[in-house]
Amino acid sequence: MALDAYQKYIFEARDLSLAFRFVLNFDILLEQFCFNLFSPNDPGVGAARSGNLTFMVGGVEDEFAAAQELLGCMGSNVVYCGAVGTGQSAKICNNLLLAISMIGTAEAMNLGIRSGLDPKLLAKILNMSSGRCWSSDTYNPVPGVMAGVPSSNNYQGGFGTTLMAKDLGLAQDSATSTKTPILLGSVAHQIYRMMCSKGYSKKDFSSVFQYLREEEPF
């Protein structure tokens, strides 16, 4: 390992609001190094088990270089984002976009199904067209369209609705503190909060498709 035998690092991987992100300095522990993690390929426990996490790191660049080898043992991608807090910001932006695109995919699939289209055919068309996104081609929310994803396992496993609602709350906090409009993000936050209150809290966030189907008045 490249790490100095006498230097210790504290890796902070919790999701914290902008107001609570800071570096603690200890005479004995020398440094704290903050990072955030997520997986763009397999959200949730599966990515951790397979070692496919992506680490988004914020901190002093020299310390990142020293710790990079260690982080590489736990994830397939290790990305330096800048100062402390930038890793958190990167994760927030990713999950904001992910939530919006998942809701859009669920709405489009639901509309197509109710218009008489076969869901597998519709997914195929979307994935060869400009509407293609990760939520449609890798993590489709419609049961039976894809194997090996939560939607085909009663929305078990994956990235929980509660976690998505929490991350969208952090995005709201960040948007407020930076005076940034996130119109679709705010709507997405409300949708996932409503899902949590209606029994979806322990299901994967792609269960928004099921939620929309149950909300139909007809």
Side-chain angles (χ1 to χ4, degrees):
M1 293 292 292
L3 294 177
D4 190 302
Y6 296 100
Q7 189 168 30
K8 297 179 181 179
Y9 290 81
I10 298 175
F11 295 94
E12 174 59 75
R14 293 172 297 172
D15 291 326
L16 304 172
S17 67
L18 286 169
F20 289 97
R21 294 205 302 257
F22 57 87
V23 177
L24 300 175
N25 294 309
F26 296 97
D27 292 335
I28 297 177
L29 295 179
L30 298 181
E31 302 286 348
Q32 179 189 44
F33 199 67
C34 298
F35 73 89
N36 290 93
L37 56 88
F38 82 113
S39 169
N41 299 313
D42 182 14
V45 176
R49 288 176 175 167
S50 63
N52 289 321
L53 292 167
T54 289
F55 290 86
M56 299 165 289
V57 186
V60 179
E61 190 166 7
D62 289 344
E63 294 170 359
F64 166 73
Q68 188 171 6
E69 182 180 351
L70 176 61
L71 296 176
C73 294
M74 298 181 284
S76 58
N77 297 293
V78 182
V79 182
Y80 179 68
C81 298
V84 170
T86 53
Q88 166 95 352
S89 295
K91 179 186 176 183
I92 286 174
C93 291
N94 178 81
N95 284 11
L96 173 67
L97 178 58
L98 178 59
I100 293 169
S101 67
M102 180 56 76
I103 294 170
T105 299
E107 287 189 344
M109 292 295 297
N110 190 32
L111 175 62
I113 292 168
R114 292 201 64 83
S115 299
L117 285 165
D118 175 80
K120 288 186 177 181
L121 174 63
L122 177 57
K124 180 179 179 180
I125 292 170
L126 293 177
N127 292 332
M128 63 174 64
S129 306
S130 56
R132 178 184 178 185
C133 63
W134 186 87
S135 297
S136 67
D137 72 359
T138 305
Y139 212 77
N140 198 284
V142 180
V145 168
M146 296 182 64
V149 295
S151 62
S152 293
N153 187 35
N154 195 30
Y155 299 103
Q156 299 304 303
F159 188 68
T161 296
T162 298
L163 293 176
M164 181 57 82
K166 179 263 300 177
D167 281 352
L168 289 170
L170 293 175
Q172 290 274 185
D173 293 342
S174 181
T176 298
S177 65
T178 58
K179 298 181 180 179
T180 304
I182 53 167
L183 306 182
L184 295 180
S186 297
V187 174
H189 187 210
Q190 292 304 312
I191 290 173
Y192 278 102
R193 287 182 64 191
M194 287 189 290
M195 287 175 64
C196 287
S197 69
K198 293 191 175 183
Y200 290 83
S201 60
K202 295 183 179 180
K203 292 189 175 186
D204 180 73
F205 79 106
S206 63
S207 62
V208 66
F209 173 79
Q210 186 181 58
Y211 170 73
L212 291 173
R213 297 279 285 185
E214 291 184 354
E215 288 298 300
E216 291 173 355
F218 40 81

